[in-house]
Amino acid sequence: MTQEQKGQRNIAVDAYRGFVMLLMMAEVLQFAHVAPSFPNSRLWRILAFNQSHVEWVGMSLHDTIQPSFTFLVGVALPYSLRSRQKKGTSFAHMLGHTIWRSFLLIALGIFLRSTHSPITYFTFEDTLTQIGLGYTFAFLLTFARPRWQWTALAAILFGYWLAWALYPAPGPNFNYAAVGVPDNWHQHLLTGFAAHWNINSNFGQAFDIWFLNLFPRTSPFLYNDGGYLTLSFIPTLATMLLGVAAGRWSLAASPAIPMRKFLVAGAALIAAGLLFHFTGVCPIVKRVWTPSWTLFSGGVCFFYLAAFSWVIEIKKQRGLAFPLVVIGINSIAAYLIAHLCEEFVESSIRTNLGSGFLNMLGSALEPIVLGTLTLGIYWLMLFWMYRKKLFIRI
């Protein structure tokens, strides 16, 4: 990477991306596994909650990972297009590269989900596949005028909401057990109009019953245990478009930071998401990426971006950002390390340090010690790549 390229990077965006990837890699700390050993500790309950996905409605810190990663893909698009246009790259060449990148993201997502499967496990609800399915459309919309981008975003969310609203809601006698819903799930079932967005009984589930069974499988697809869906890539595209707007504003304001726009957009989106949720128009559900979730989580992403921009670009605290930048500048490598290296790293630590060392704080906290060491090794791997200028790009 040349010095000129370094100067063009948005360090706040790299740090934000690094923070998101750190949250993902930090799953090795296993807060939810440790928390039951401290049943009277509010701190451990908070830590466990925020390192887990909510069951259905709402948001935890962990639930901000995927929308943030998706949002940041959108933020990077205006920067990438400006760089390529300055180099004289033709539209046809950029489009071809974008389609290839979309294919690689989808393929990589399927590959990572297939590592413990006897055959290729075709699934499209993974973060990478969701981004890959929508990436080319986001690229094309980046060339449109801002008002058309906002029009497209509104059309995507309204059209997706309408498709779900028109699909028959599950009746009171719907057999949830047949679609993998446990008996104690009744507390999470939505009622009234919001029931259109109940787990494994919705428009997206009906699509996947048809679509996923077109692929070779060890057994017919009946449901996803977590309620995740292929069609979530459509509102995920809207999340990317919110990121495109943030990137466009940043470029237009450079070298200043459009803090007011970030904060106003964040507040407006969160308010809109909450309004639709509490009026029963559309619940905030991350697992099926409802339009209300798109708005609400998009607002959170704008606040994240504003916070990182304020600390790093306005307050000039770039030194504090360095550990995160090491991760964020090599996010695909971080993603692969977290998914492919955990078992090897943890088994190596156990073999070479032994249980006595790992239990230095007591057996209940062994996962924390093991996870901290594992996380440290992940970072050192990424730091080595950073020093050697080894960056995985798709």
Side-chain angles (χ1 to χ4, degrees):
M1 181 183 296
T2 67
Q3 188 63 37
E4 180 183 3
Q5 287 172 315
K6 287 182 180 180
Q8 291 176 348
R9 295 199 68 89
N10 188 321
I11 304 302
V13 169
D14 284 332
Y16 178 14
R17 189 183 298 110
F19 172 72
V20 171
M21 301 311 295
L22 179 63
L23 289 178
M24 185 196 72
M25 293 191 298
E27 289 178 357
V28 295
L29 296 173
Q30 299 185 57
F31 290 156
H33 179 74
V34 174
S37 298
F38 304 92
N40 299 319
S41 171
R42 178 178 297 179
L43 173 63
W44 279 108
R45 286 198 300 273
I46 292 172
L47 290 174
F49 173 81
N50 283 292
Q51 203 180 55
S52 306
H53 294 300
V54 296
E55 294 290 348
W56 200 244
V57 171
M59 171 188 280
S60 69
L61 179 64
H62 209 60
D63 288 315
T64 67
I65 295 174
Q66 187 173 349
S68 291
F69 195 63
T70 305
F71 177 84
L72 289 168
V73 169
V75 172
L77 264 172
Y79 286 90
S80 177
L81 293 187
R82 186 184 68 168
S83 175
R84 290 177 178 274
Q85 287 170 338
K86 284 185 175 181
K87 294 175 183 177
T89 307
S90 69
F91 173 79
H93 183 81
M94 287 191 287
L95 178 59
H97 176 75
T98 299
I99 294 172
W100 175 243
R101 176 178 287 182
S102 295
F103 170 78
L104 287 179
L105 286 169
I106 295 168
L108 183 56
I110 293 173
F111 167 77
L112 292 174
R113 289 301 181 97
S114 302
T115 51
H116 299 292
S117 176
I119 64 172
T120 302
Y121 180 57
F122 288 98
T123 181
F124 300 89
E125 85 287 347
D126 172 82
T127 300
L128 294 182
T129 54
Q130 288 281 291
I131 293 173
L133 288 168
Y135 185 72
T136 297
F137 299 104
F139 165 82
L140 293 172
L141 285 167
T142 304
F143 285 92
R145 293 180 182 273
R147 65 179 178 180
W148 289 113
Q149 291 178 13
W150 291 113
T151 300
L153 188 149
I156 289 167
L157 294 183
F158 176 74
Y160 197 67
W161 172 87
L162 185 62
W164 284 60
L166 293 177
Y167 186 81
N173 297 320
F174 184 84
N175 186 4
Y176 282 100
V179 288
V181 181
D183 293 336
N184 61 357
W185 187 266
H186 65 275
Q187 60 185 315
H188 302 294
L189 290 177
L190 302 169
T191 58
F193 185 72
H196 287 277
W197 287 272
N198 272 336
I199 186 172
N200 292 344
S201 57
N202 50 59
F203 175 73
Q205 163 74 2
F207 175 85
D208 274 348
I209 289 290
W210 166 75
F211 178 67
L212 293 179
N213 282 307
L214 298 176
F215 298 91
R217 316 190 72 83
T218 55
S219 60
F221 175 84
L222 298 177
Y223 55 84
N224 181 288
D225 289 335
Y228 298 101
L229 303 166
T230 301
L231 286 181
S232 293
F233 86 89
I234 297 173
T236 293
L237 170 59
T239 302
M240 269 190 275
L241 290 179
L242 291 174
V244 168
R248 185 179 68 248
W249 292 341
S250 296
L251 274 176
S254 182
I257 305 297
M259 289 291 292
R260 181 173 180 177
K261 285 188 175 181
F262 290 167
L263 293 174
V264 169
L269 289 167
I270 288 175
L274 291 173
L275 175 66
F276 292 134
H277 175 80
F278 285 110
T279 56
V281 173
C282 182
I284 294 175
V285 182
K286 183 258 181 187
R287 291 176 185 251
V288 293
W289 219 275
T290 61
S292 289
W293 165 263
T294 305
L295 298 172
F296 183 81
S297 63
V300 172
C301 291
F302 270 108
F303 279 154
Y304 269 141
L305 183 59
F308 278 95
S309 297
W310 184 78
V311 172
I312 296 167
E313 301 297 343
I314 296 177
K315 293 300 181 179
K316 306 298 182 184
Q317 298 296 319
R318 297 195 172 191
L320 295 176
F322 178 73
L324 296 177
V325 171
V326 168
I327 304 172
I329 205 170
N330 219 352
S331 57
I332 295 297
Y335 197 95
L336 292 172
I337 287 170
H339 281 78
L340 298 176
C341 297
E342 180 180 350
E343 184 176 345
F344 171 74
V345 171
E346 289 189 347
S347 64
S348 297
I349 291 173
R350 289 185 184 280
T351 298
N352 291 283
L353 296 182
S355 59
F357 182 87
L358 295 177
N359 283 280
M360 66 171 74
L361 301 178
S363 59
L365 293 175
E366 179 186 328
I368 300 297
V369 176
L370 177 61
T372 300
L373 292 171
T374 302
L375 196 58
I377 291 172
Y378 288 173
W379 190 87
L380 289 173
M381 293 167 68
L382 292 166
F383 180 64
W384 178 83
M385 296 180 71
Y386 178 86
R387 291 288 300 273
K388 295 295 182 180
K389 296 181 172 60
L390 298 174
F391 304 105
I392 297 178
R393 301 282 185 256
I394 292 182

